[in-house]
Amino acid sequence: DAGVIQSPRHEVTEMGQEVTLRCKPISGHNSLFWYRQTMMRGLELLIYFNNNVPIDDSGMPEDRFSAKMPNASFSTLKIQPSEPRDSAVYFCASRKTGLALNTGELFFGEGSRLTVL
Amino acid sequence: DQQVKQNSPSLSVQEGRISILNCDYTNSMFDYFLWYKKYPAEGPTFLISISSIKDKNEDGRFTVFLNKSAKHLSLHIVPSQPGDSAVYFCAATLGTSGSRLTFGEGTQLTVNP
């Protein structure tokens, strides 16, 4: 079974450039999450969607960040313009809404490592 | 405002010995706690969880202990194996079906042969 698929796996870009990260959730999952991993703060929730609708974007750092989910099988996280402090690993995760988190029903992709020079 | 904290960024233990990873939280409303394990270049994967109505949950070599009064939980791995070397994240949530997991910073565990 295909898991959560993220692309690109690695992205190196220069400050000021636009960055787009992509995610394909597991088929049948209707909740999608974007997390960012940094050394200082661990895994931070940026935004999550239920049934393609953004529910909580309070973790999005600032207006330079935006996320969309045009359909059930695709989501993007965009940073424009990018800055060196955005360098991190960005994870996408998905699950079926309502299934218990304590049984492990949240599945992560392999992450997109972003480096902004 | 870090509601879940893992104060040890790294831990090194000898194969066969016990590994103890610690986690503290500040939000007394959290009622489920989870541990995730992450290998390099992979996403985190679920390891074990505990409800706030319990103080211990065991799954094979892994045991999680919860001390609600101290707002502290720990993960014990006995015996530790080199394959356990990974980053371990503690996480907390409100309700098992809640959508928001709050993670700690992670602890890098290295098990030496």
Side-chain angles (χ1 to χ4, degrees):
Chain A
D1 286 345
V4 176
I5 300 172
Q6 292 186 243
S7 65
R9 293 295 310 276
H10 302 274
E11 173 93 7
V12 180
T13 190
E14 293 189 347
M15 183 174 65
Q17 296 298 306
E18 178 179 295
V19 173
T20 299
L21 308 178
R22 298 173 177 79
C23 175
K24 177 179 169 55
I26 292 173
S27 178
H29 284 191
N30 58 345
S31 292
L32 183 140
F33 305 79
W34 282 100
Y35 283 89
R36 177 171 68 175
Q37 182 192 3
T38 61
M39 289 293 291
M40 293 299 294
R41 299 182 66 85
L43 281 164
E44 299 176 271
L45 178 64
L46 300 178
I47 185 171
Y48 78 89
F49 297 82
N50 276 355
N51 298 314
N52 313 337
V53 177
I55 301 300
D56 183 354
D57 65 354
S58 59
M60 296 287 262
E62 47 197 274
D63 292 346
R64 298 184 296 106
F65 286 69
S66 62
K68 293 182 179 179
M69 192 164 185
N71 57 62
S73 59
F74 184 65
S75 177
T76 59
L77 178 67
K78 187 175 292 187
I79 308 172
Q80 166 65 19
S82 58
E83 297 182 2
R85 59 191 168 122
D86 302 330
S87 298
V89 182
Y90 291 81
F91 288 100
C92 177
S94 73
R95 72 179 183 103
K96 283 188 181 180
T97 303
L99 287 186
L101 284 172
N102 65 327
T103 58
E105 294 295 334
L106 177 67
F107 297 90
F108 284 82
E110 294 181 326
S112 294
R113 179 175 293 277
L114 172 65
T115 302
V116 183
L117 303 175
Chain B
D1 177 25
Q2 195 75 9
Q3 295 189 64
V4 177
K5 283 198 68 64
Q6 294 175 256
N7 291 313
S8 298
S10 63
L11 174 68
S12 183
V13 300
Q14 207 63 30
E15 181 179 5
R17 307 295 289 268
I18 184 171
S19 296
I20 300 176
L21 297 101
N22 293 303
C23 177
D24 297 294
Y25 61 97
T26 57
N27 188 342
S28 58
M29 299 294 289
F30 287 141
D31 55 4
Y32 276 93
F33 304 89
L34 306 89
W35 286 92
Y36 278 74
K37 177 178 178 179
K38 183 187 174 307
Y39 291 117
E42 294 184 11
T45 55
F46 171 76
L47 183 59
I48 192 170
S49 66
I50 187 167
S51 162
S52 60
I53 63 173
K54 296 185 175 182
D55 54 19
K56 176 182 174 181
N57 188 25
E58 192 171 352
D59 183 2
R61 296 185 297 112
F62 302 90
T63 303
V64 56
F65 295 92
L66 176 63
N67 181 334
K68 289 188 292 296
S69 61
K71 295 193 183 68
H72 177 85
L73 64 156
S74 61
L75 175 68
H76 293 211
I77 307 173
V78 181
S80 302
Q81 299 173 354
D84 297 329
S85 298
V87 176
Y88 290 79
F89 289 98
C90 169
T93 188
L94 298 169
T96 59
S97 61
S99 291
R100 196 177 185 94
L101 273 180
T102 301
F103 284 88
E105 304 93 328
T107 298
Q108 171 69 57
L109 173 66
T110 301
V111 181
N112 300 303

